[in-house]
Amino acid sequence: MRGLLPDLSPWRASADFRRLWVSGLITNFGSFLTFVALPVQVKELTGSAAAVGAIGAVELVPLVVFGLYGGALADAADKRRLILWTEAGQGVLCAVLLANALLPGPAVWPLYLVAALTSALGGVQRPALDSLIPRIVAHEHLPAAAALTSLRWQLGGVAGPALAGVVVAWAGLGWAYAVDLLTFAVSVVLALGLAASPASREAVRPSWSAIAEGARYAWGRKELLGTYAVDLAAMFLAMPLAVLPFLADELDAPWSLGLMYAAIPAGSLLVSLSSGWTSRVRRHGRMVVLAAAGWGAAIAAAGVAGNVWLVLLCLAAGGACDMVSGVFRSAMWNQTIPDGLRGRLAGIEVLSYSVGPQLGQVRVGGAAALMGVRASVWSGGLVCAGAVGLLALCLPAMMAYDSRTDEHAVRLRAARAAAAED
């Protein structure tokens, strides 16, 4: 049983990791309140599944552009400063949502505008957050750090949506936005204590040529390319979040909406709480493929199930599979990418695990309008499982990856050991 418990080595060894973890937990909790409240408000104002799915569309272009540029910026600037400014900016945007919600007649267009700007700031921030972890955590602790970081996300993901369903139903949308604004203020104060993390000596100025250099490196690493492709396919084809408000109505269980949003992170949380085994796995690529296929199968089952409790169980199973995939993707990235390229590769990672869900919202919303809510869910899950299998066949390097023998992992491990001795 002890071997199943989360490995707390990064927490014990790094004060900056502890500070970043707590700050992220607080802000994630609030962000998940808005994550639920925003589509609910669009649904209330428009009554359209396509309009809810369009949230993903307006978030897509800012995420692509600023995710890629944010990766180059993370390599060339102080990561702590980037994290602080983007966190504060997202707090300001949350205040705009609150002000709009308090109007006698809230407008729809500010919801899309804020969604786009928040996506842009998130695209800049996420590469800095991801590329900071390998600097503040020992090389051998990186798989455990990935699991603990995911645990932080899942704790907020379970508590935030579950509470949001109650807050929105009983207190109103304004309260959800107000609590989110408060959590941004607290997280900024905590993040002020992070140590500076300036650019490495080999850093280059942020530019499109620097971004292209990172893309060429990723293209040359077929095992990394495979993780991006698998995650993009899984999220695009089988992400059901945009239609959950309509699925709850179809099941005559509008009270279950908060639980539906919480079910996926709840499943992920169960894996995080028993993630000690992940540090002993070496074939990371195989685990990514198996878990992504499991995600598709679970979402397909959720679309078929006619009982709300079975739907919740299937969503939780999908969340567990997604968590397993995420842990081993992060381990592959953090244990093999050189420091001077880590920000730009983190920018590409943002596209793989963020663009997919945004496009997935558009896909499932449009499919629901054409073929019905439940059919849009189960069909996407089935196609996802098949697509993941095809990608595994086309990218054997990902399936063959072994952290003990991979040349990039061996080289980076040796470099960090030499730096520690110096």
Side-chain angles (χ1 to χ4, degrees), residues 249-348:
D249 288 345
E250 280 204 7
L251 295 170
D252 294 321
W255 54 266
S256 70
L257 178 59
L259 294 177
M260 285 187 179
Y261 278 114
I264 291 176
S268 299
L269 177 60
L270 291 177
V271 173
S272 298
L273 292 174
S274 59
S275 61
W277 61 273
T278 60
S279 296
R280 299 189 293 275
V281 175
R282 306 303 178 203
R283 298 277 189 166
H284 298 163
R286 293 184 182 182
M287 292 301 296
V288 170
V289 168
L290 291 173
W295 157 265
I299 297 304
V304 172
N307 179 279
V308 67
W309 295 107
L310 286 177
V311 170
L312 292 172
L313 180 62
C314 292
L315 292 175
C321 292
D322 185 50
M323 170 63 188
V324 172
S325 175
V327 166
F328 291 110
R329 290 196 312 269
S330 295
M332 288 178 68
W333 299 334
N334 289 336
Q335 288 188 329
T336 64
I337 298 172
D339 185 74
L341 286 165
R342 193 168 288 132
R344 279 165 284 177
L345 271 293
I348 297 174

Side-chain angles (χ1 to χ4, degrees), residues 38-39 42 50-60 111-112 115-116 358 361-362:
L38 186 62
V42 173
V52 176
I55 296 173
V58 301
E59 291 173 338
L60 179 59
L111 306 181
Y112 291 110
Q358 307 310 324
Q361 291 190 69
V362 179

Side-chain angles (χ1 to χ4, degrees), residues 7 29 51 66-67 71 76 120 134 195 219 250 262 266 303 326 343 366 370 395:
D7 183 353
F29 171 78
F66 287 92
W219 182 258
E250 280 204 7
L370 292 174
L395 294 165

